[in-house]
Amino acid sequence: MDDRMMRAVLFDRYGPPEVLYTARVPRPEPAPGEVLVRVRAFSVNGGETAARAGRVRLLTGRRFPQRTGLDFAGEVAALGVGATGFAVGEPVWGVLGRTSGFGSAAEYVVASPERMGRIPDGRDPVAAAALPVATTAVTALRDKARLRPGERLLIRGAAGGVGNAAVQLGRACGAKVTALARDANLDFVRDLGAHEALDHRSTPLEALGRFDVVMDTVGTGLPALRRLLNPGGRMVAIAFDLSRPVGSLGGIALSAVHGRGRVRFFSGDPRRKDFDDLARHVVEGSLVPAVDTVFSLEETAEAHRALESGGVRGKYVVRVD
């Protein structure tokens, strides 16, 4: 077998999960300052399914084939000239940068050492692949909301990839965590540490009371959530309404300068310090990976389909080897 080639997941047009296929493509080589990672597993995220479906084609363009996959867990295979901080063979996890696009759904990927961290010793890379996205929850609660012990925290989308991590981290911080999720997932989020778990479809928002911090992972109905904030409360949104992106993002921007409770919107862009924090939480036991189902690389389309069907508990992970 030609070691200059590798398997990767591609698509030649926008559409449903069926457009994804596995093909052999040239194995990348690390440029100066980059790291080549042998990918053992990656998870499937909402941004990837939206890109594949063409819902953000203004950003992804019309050049095909395109790749999928944002995060990864594996080990360092080679270092580009001048790359520092890691050694060949070290277990690592990370994400591709905003300017890199997608591409971790493959046997190898090149990444910046500033967007990676070391997986704590002894951790299974397949389980570890469920956690790079948790850096978004770390940043949301640590930096954006500045969550403090004793505060009331509401998390919408609490059973998902970022939401489940936010439940665990909120509990570890000493906050009083209320989780909104599907009825079938309420026991799951309670087991993660939520003090209160409620069905998001049957619980009126006005019945929830007031909160010091609201974290939203869904992106719709943000004005109604914002009204739940106490004076001085903070709201963090990591998603926007893809059915009306201009209006949704405009409303978020307007909230930054008007009204009670600004909405702090951001997309995950973790750096090495965030992965260091992530590893610390894992070692301390305050954050454990939640893997719903493991798929093979050839089953990536099935993983996309499962995520779009809703009801995930934690993360869908794809094993590469």
Side-chain angles (χ1 to χ4, degrees), residues 246-258 262-263 265:
V246 175
S248 180
L249 288 171
I252 292 171
L254 189 63
S255 78
V257 292
H258 293 291
R262 293 184 298 170
V263 180
F265 173 77

Side-chain angles (χ1 to χ4, degrees), residues 219 222-223 240-254:
L222 298 184
F240 60 91
D241 188 349
L242 286 171
S243 67
R244 44 183 298 274
V246 175
S248 180
L249 288 171
I252 292 171
L254 189 63

Side-chain angles (χ1 to χ4, degrees), residues 23-313:
R24 294 190 66 77
V25 301
R27 195 181 85 172
E29 294 295 333
E34 291 183 333
V35 176
L36 178 68
V37 176
R38 170 67 167 97
V39 180
R40 296 300 178 183
F42 61 91
S43 74
V44 177
N45 301 285
E48 294 146 48
T49 61
R52 185 219 71 234
R55 287 185 285 170
V56 289
R57 65 185 68 193
L58 290 177
L59 298 176
T60 54
R62 294 185 174 276
R63 296 184 62 182
F64 294 98
Q66 292 190 22
R67 302 274 296 274
T68 190
L70 177 65
D71 55 41
F72 57 85
E75 66 266 356
V76 175
L79 298 172
V81 176
T84 60
F86 298 97
V88 172
E90 276 192 309
V92 293
W93 50 18
V95 298
L96 301 181
R98 288 175 178 169
T99 59
S100 302
F102 299 110
S104 66
E107 291 181 304
Y108 291 88
V109 69
V110 291
S112 165
E114 284 304 310
R115 299 181 185 277
M116 298 165 46
R118 293 180 184 84
I119 299 175
D121 291 343
R123 266 58 180 191
D124 172 29
V126 175
L131 287 176
V133 72
T135 55
T136 299
V138 170
T139 303
L141 299 181
R142 180 195 63 198
D143 301 334
K144 304 297 181 179
R146 298 186 181 277
L147 182 67
R148 297 186 291 269
E151 291 191 313
R152 287 199 78 202
L153 167 65
L154 175 67
I155 302 168
R156 187 166 72 139
V162 176
N164 90 83
V167 170
Q168 297 181 66
L169 295 172
R171 179 68 182 247
C173 177
K176 304 298 182 182
V177 181
T178 297
L180 293 178
R182 291 189 177 196
D183 181 67
N185 291 338
L186 297 184
D187 286 342
F188 170 68
V189 294
R190 288 191 191 100
D191 289 343
L192 292 174
H195 296 86
E196 185 176 34
L198 302 169
D199 184 355
H200 72 94
R201 289 172 292 191
S202 62
T203 304
L205 290 180
E206 58 270 18
L208 296 176
R210 293 287 184 266
F211 295 87
D212 302 295
V213 174
V214 172
M215 181 173 172
D216 178 74
T217 72
V218 180
T220 59
L222 298 184
L225 286 173
R226 189 176 163 215
R227 288 192 286 270
L228 301 180
L229 291 173
N230 282 321
R234 294 86 70 200
M235 180 171 168
V236 181
I238 66 165
F240 60 91
D241 188 349
L242 286 171
S243 67
R244 44 183 298 274
V246 175
S248 180
L249 288 171
I252 292 171
L254 189 63
S255 78
V257 292
H258 293 291
R260 186 186 73 186
R262 293 184 298 170
V263 180
R264 296 157 172 85
F265 173 77
F266 78 106
S267 60
D269 190 30
R271 301 305 174 109
R272 192 181 300 183
K273 69 178 181 64
D274 301 311
F275 285 104
D276 290 344
D277 259 6
L278 182 67
R280 176 177 60 80
H281 284 294
V282 170
V283 171
E284 292 175 351
S286 55
L287 181 63
V288 298
V291 177
D292 186 304
T293 307
V294 178
F295 299 84
S296 70
L297 188 66
E298 286 73 19
E299 295 172 327
T300 300
E302 294 180 35
H304 274 233
R305 188 179 303 110
L307 185 62
E308 290 178 328
S309 297
V312 63
R313 294 186 174 196

